[in-house]
Amino acid sequence: MKHSFLDQYSDRDSLIHRLDPRTKLLTSLLFILAVVLTPPGRWPVFALYFILVAALLILSRVPLLYVLKRSLVIMPFVVLIAVFIPFFKEGEIAGSYNIWLWQLSVTYNGLQVFWNILAKAWLSILSLILLTSTTRFSQLLKGMEKLRLPGVMTMILSFMYRYIFVLVDEVMRMKQARDSRNFGGGRLRQLGTIGNMIGTLFIRSYERGERVYAAMMARGFDGQTRTLESLSFRPPDALFGLSLGFILILAMVLNLWYL
Amino acid sequence: MHIPDGLLNVATVATTYVVSAGGVGGAVRIVNKKLGEKQVPLMGILAAFIFAAQMLNFPIAGGTSGHFLGAALAAILLGPWAAVLIMSCVLIAQCLIFQDGGLLALGANIFNMGLVASFSAYYIYRLFTWLMGSTRKGTLAGGFAAAWASVFLASVFCAVELAVSGTSPFGVVVPAMAGVHALIGIIEGLITTAVLSLVLATRADLLQLQRI
């Protein structure tokens, strides 16, 4: 099986790829925070955010079509939740429909909030895609560890990352075995089969965990993981952080100015 | 049920982050004290297991599909604090790798699918095994109820957070989410029961692990 479904394109090289993962994590968080804090209807500010994230995506040399496709996968869920807003917000009525017994009316105010939520969600997703497709997961973990994520969690996460590939392979083989034996029957039968597959997977994973631990003990594991690569905060990081901070402050000022 | 960014307002984000950070911090402390670093590889592999198990989709009506959440299973097998830690790691990885759930919404997602789901599942399971005894019947019934409740309660909290943020009116999102997840919870319950009966039949000792 090809395992490029996780952090794809993160092994490429560009200005953005070379930044310290801490810089990227913190600026992504700041960016999303700024986006979420922006009040509805500030379209020039949203345009500024979009230009910013688009420029960074172009700089990162990640295929744009891939980013677009990836970002649209999450949107249906957002639409599903936000779709009720236009009908429930009070305000000037933009249109009204009679459906069977109900009278539904859409307000301008509601529509604006709806588009606003869609824009916020999309911009946030774009920035997350930028983060993960320019940073290897191991680097990201290292950055999170330096930013005080508890050691146990980074270790669990790195083991998880290491074994996802093994277990996903296992799942693929089980799926193939299931399908070649004509996976059919009623709903209940199907659920039973999936239950058995997950149960088998659990027992195999548990036994693998025991073996891995024994192997690590045999090699002198003392609860610490040591790696050769270390992170360094360099001038480009400072420059990147400062300029992004400046743009976000500009956006905030623009927000106030529009009030 | 993974909330993306942009749907929650800042007050909700801040509150859920503080609560989840406290919960996860508590879990780290307790797991460190009771296990040391000893079972870290095991927990990492079990987190990968939950992640892989979530890839097994099953069809629900109308072309949509659902998948296993796994919080209840983890809580029943390993205890609520270990489950909180495992689910948090799964959610962090899903957020960073698949953009499934937002970065700012991570606190809310860990709260719903980590804390709420794990603890409700664990105590409901304990209640059932206490009432019916640790028999096969008690274990399976407890597993079903725990899994159903974990999904249902997590979805209710998710809906309340969305409603409080003003993303969707209270009267719509809470009944809708709760209704849909009452059904999804039945599926989660059936799968969890099947998993538990398989584990009982093949490696019953795994149900007697030290729970934290």
Side-chain angles (χ1 to χ4, degrees), chain A residues 35-220:
Chain A
V35 168
V36 171
L37 276 172
T38 307
R42 303 286 197 278
W43 294 114
V45 183
F46 282 121
L48 178 70
Y49 292 142
F50 179 74
I51 291 168
L52 183 62
V53 84
L56 292 177
L57 279 170
I58 290 167
L59 267 180
S60 72
R61 296 199 214 143
V62 177
L64 294 178
L65 197 65
Y66 159 82
V67 176
L68 190 68
K69 268 193 212 153
R70 189 104 196 219
S71 69
L72 292 181
V73 172
I74 318 283
M75 291 311 279
F77 180 72
V78 181
V79 174
L80 193 69
I81 291 182
V83 76
F84 298 108
I85 295 188
F87 302 102
F88 285 88
K89 272 271 185 270
E90 279 139 35
E92 199 187 335
I93 289 171
S96 136
Y97 315 92
N98 283 306
I99 301 171
W100 196 42
L101 287 175
W102 292 303
Q103 194 188 5
L104 288 176
S105 41
V106 175
T107 60
Y108 283 113
N109 195 356
L111 275 178
Q112 195 176 45
V113 175
F114 174 70
W115 287 116
N116 170 61
I117 285 176
L118 250 50
K120 282 181 179 178
W122 195 56
L123 286 167
S124 312
I125 289 166
L126 283 182
S127 68
L128 272 182
I129 294 175
L130 177 67
L131 173 69
T132 39
S133 48
T134 59
T135 322
R136 272 180 286 125
F137 196 68
S138 56
Q139 287 273 304
L140 214 52
L141 280 181
K142 195 115 199 174
M144 292 202 292
E145 193 172 7
K146 286 271 152 56
L147 292 171
R148 297 292 161 88
L149 189 78
V152 189
M153 286 189 83
T154 49
M155 285 209 337
I156 293 179
L157 276 166
S158 55
F159 273 105
M160 175 183 172
Y161 182 67
R162 171 65 189 83
Y163 284 98
I164 278 173
F165 301 103
V166 179
L167 294 193
V168 166
D169 261 355
E170 191 105 49
V171 167
M172 294 290 167
R173 280 200 300 276
M174 286 162 90
K175 260 185 169 166
Q176 199 173 29
R178 174 193 73 183
D179 294 341
S180 59
R181 284 166 181 76
N182 194 11
F183 180 50
R187 283 274 154 78
L188 218 58
R189 271 283 296 282
Q190 290 194 18
L191 285 179
T193 311
I194 287 181
N196 284 341
M197 286 164 74
I198 292 178
T200 310
L201 188 68
F202 170 73
I203 291 171
R204 286 185 193 168
S205 314
Y206 186 86
E207 287 172 351
R208 187 186 293 278
E210 287 178 326
R211 287 198 303 276
V212 169
Y213 179 61
M216 286 170 66
M217 285 306 278
R219 286 160 182 79

Side-chain angles (χ1 to χ4, degrees), chain A residues 70 85 132 152 207 213 223, chain B residues 37-38 96-97 99 167 203:
Chain A
R70 189 104 196 219
I85 295 188
T132 39
V152 189
E207 287 172 351
Y213 179 61
Chain B
E37 316 267 279
K38 193 179 139 223
L96 291 178
I97 299 174
Q99 293 82 47
T167 305
R203 285 222 31 198

Side-chain angles (χ1 to χ4, degrees), chain B residues 4-212:
Chain B
D5 282 324
L7 290 176
L8 297 178
N9 66 8
V10 177
T12 316
V13 164
T15 318
T16 50
Y17 248 100
V18 169
V19 175
S20 297
V24 172
V28 166
R29 239 191 351 270
I30 288 169
V31 169
N32 266 338
K33 206 168 80 188
K34 291 217 176 152
L35 291 181
E37 316 267 279
K38 193 179 139 223
Q39 298 209 8
V40 165
L42 182 65
M43 289 178 76
I45 291 177
L46 291 182
F49 153 73
I50 301 270
F51 199 98
Q54 291 194 349
M55 290 183 69
L56 288 165
N57 291 319
F58 46 81
I60 312 179
T64 55
S65 67
H67 68 74
F68 187 60
L69 180 63
L73 186 65
I76 290 169
L77 293 166
L78 301 168
W81 291 108
V84 166
L85 219 49
I86 289 176
M87 288 310 288
S88 306
C89 288
V90 171
L91 291 166
I92 291 175
Q94 282 174 334
C95 161
L96 291 178
I97 299 174
F98 292 117
Q99 293 82 47
D100 201 359
L103 195 59
L104 280 189
L106 192 59
N109 286 328
I110 289 182
F111 179 72
N112 302 335
M113 285 177 276
L115 290 164
V116 170
S118 303
F119 275 94
S120 60
Y122 181 70
Y123 284 106
I124 287 169
Y125 175 76
R126 285 290 295 270
L127 181 73
F128 268 75
T129 48
W130 179 65
L131 287 174
M132 301 171 70
S134 292
T135 53
R136 185 184 148 81
K137 217 186 242 170
T139 305
L140 295 185
F144 180 84
W148 182 84
S150 72
V151 171
F152 181 75
L153 288 175
S155 79
V156 169
F157 274 94
C158 171
V160 169
E161 283 150 18
L162 291 170
V164 166
S165 300
T167 305
S168 210
F170 206 88
V172 175
V173 70
V174 176
M177 286 285 278
V180 170
H181 285 89
L183 294 176
I184 294 181
I186 293 177
I187 297 172
E188 176 94 7
L190 290 175
I191 293 181
T192 306
T193 315
V195 173
L196 287 175
S197 80
L198 184 89
V199 173
L200 269 178
T202 49
R203 285 222 31 198
D205 58 309
L206 292 187
L207 278 167
Q208 255 77 55
L209 296 175
Q210 181 204 6
R211 298 202 180 100
I212 24 168

